[in-house]
Amino acid sequence: DNQLTQSPSFLSASVGDRVTITCRASQGITNFLAWYQQKPGKAPKLLIYGASTLQSGVPSRFSGSGSGTEFTLTISGLQPEDFATYYCQQINDYPFTFGPGTKVDIK
Amino acid sequence: QVHLQESGPGLVKPSETLSLTCSVSGDSLSGECWNWIRQSPGKGLEWIGYIYDSGDTNYNPSLRSRVTMSIDMSKNQFSLRLTSVTAADTAVYYCARLMIPFGGGFDGFDMWGQGTVVTVSA
């Protein structure tokens, strides 16, 4: 399987901060990478696909970049509603796999 | 607006079969890729597999020997069967739609059900 790792696993930040999460794939996936946000008791919500394309309705403070094996999700100006867990997912190889998640908490 | 809703027993006995249904409203099943994903504290998010309206399927090799997906176009539903369950199959089970761009490949899971908790216990 194509394993995904995320760093950091946990991140403490303040409202207004710029936050960056990294996702690394064990094998190259070109740009077939998506990012999700999940809040407790809720299903994941698609934020970004194609490594850098913002899903409709998602605020522009979210951005994604990268290709191959290394990707980043950036939140520019963290808002109170952004405190959640973030997952990356590759959809290049079967089976599709998810990263272990990065929890963004309030400092 | 597209809405997905999982349904099925919340408690399944070990060695028995887990059966879930996803009812879709606001969208036809035609031309789309419908998926099951589960989430447990121990294994995180795990893709189980997908089914197309044609009935074509693709399953995670780790579950392939125990998984069957089916689709009922007349009811706008698709289903999951997982046989010989153990405690390791205890999880929140989600159904989700996978976006398919015009150029091929896949984009991401854009619509999800709310999830249903399934516990495997005697």
Side-chain angles (χ1 to χ4, degrees):
Chain A
D1 296 1
N2 198 335
Q3 303 293 334
L4 299 182
T5 58
Q6 288 182 234
S7 59
S9 301
F10 180 84
L11 189 159
S12 188
S14 300
V15 172
D17 283 354
R18 178 184 174 94
V19 165
T20 298
I21 299 168
T22 298
C23 176
R24 291 185 175 87
S26 60
Q27 302 162 47
I29 56 172
T30 58
N31 68 334
F32 287 101
L33 186 104
W35 289 96
Y36 300 86
Q37 175 194 68
Q38 187 178 33
K39 296 181 179 179
K42 301 293 187 183
K45 173 188 173 182
L46 180 65
L47 299 175
I48 287 169
Y49 61 91
S52 60
T53 302
L54 203 63
Q55 171 69 346
S56 175
V58 174
S60 59
R61 62 180 180 273
F62 291 92
S63 63
S65 65
S67 67
T69 61
E70 188 158 332
F71 303 85
T72 59
L73 172 70
T74 300
I75 310 172
S76 301
L78 201 63
Q79 296 300 300
E81 60 267 30
D82 300 337
F83 292 97
T85 301
Y86 294 85
Y87 296 94
C88 58
Q89 181 225 351
Q90 67 83 17
I91 36 181
N92 185 71
D93 302 318
Y94 295 113
F96 302 147
T97 49
F98 292 84
T102 295
K103 184 174 182 180
V104 178
D105 210 343
I106 303 172
K107 184 183 287 184
Chain B
Q1 183 168 344
V2 181
H3 183 72
L4 285 72
Q5 179 70 57
E6 304 91 350
S7 60
L11 181 64
V12 183
K13 290 182 168 56
S15 79
E16 295 191 344
T17 296
L18 179 161
S19 294
L20 297 174
T21 295
C22 182
S23 299
V24 180
S25 58
D27 187 18
S28 167
L29 296 185
S30 296
E32 306 280 11
C33 184
W34 303 99
N35 293 252
W36 289 98
I37 297 155
R38 68 183 184 180
Q39 185 172 30
S40 61
K43 297 191 74 175
L45 286 160
E46 181 179 28
W47 174 72
I48 299 171
Y50 66 57
I51 186 166
Y52 284 99
D53 58 344
S54 62
D56 287 346
T57 56
N58 195 316
Y59 302 143
N60 191 320
S62 68
L63 298 168
R64 183 175 291 147
S65 63
R66 299 192 291 129
V67 169
T68 304
M69 294 183 186
S70 59
I71 193 163
D72 187 333
M73 303 295 289
S74 66
K75 294 182 178 179
N76 231 42
Q77 295 176 337
F78 62 102
S79 299
L80 168 71
R81 289 182 77 248
L82 182 66
T83 62
S84 305
V85 297
T86 70
D89 295 309
T90 294
V92 178
Y93 284 75
Y94 296 100
C95 55
R97 185 179 73 180
L98 182 57
M99 295 196 297
I100 307 171
F102 287 118
F106 301 105
D107 275 340
F109 299 107
D110 67 330
M111 300 301 303
W112 295 66
Q114 66 184 24
T116 188
V117 177
V118 178
T119 302
V120 178
S121 175

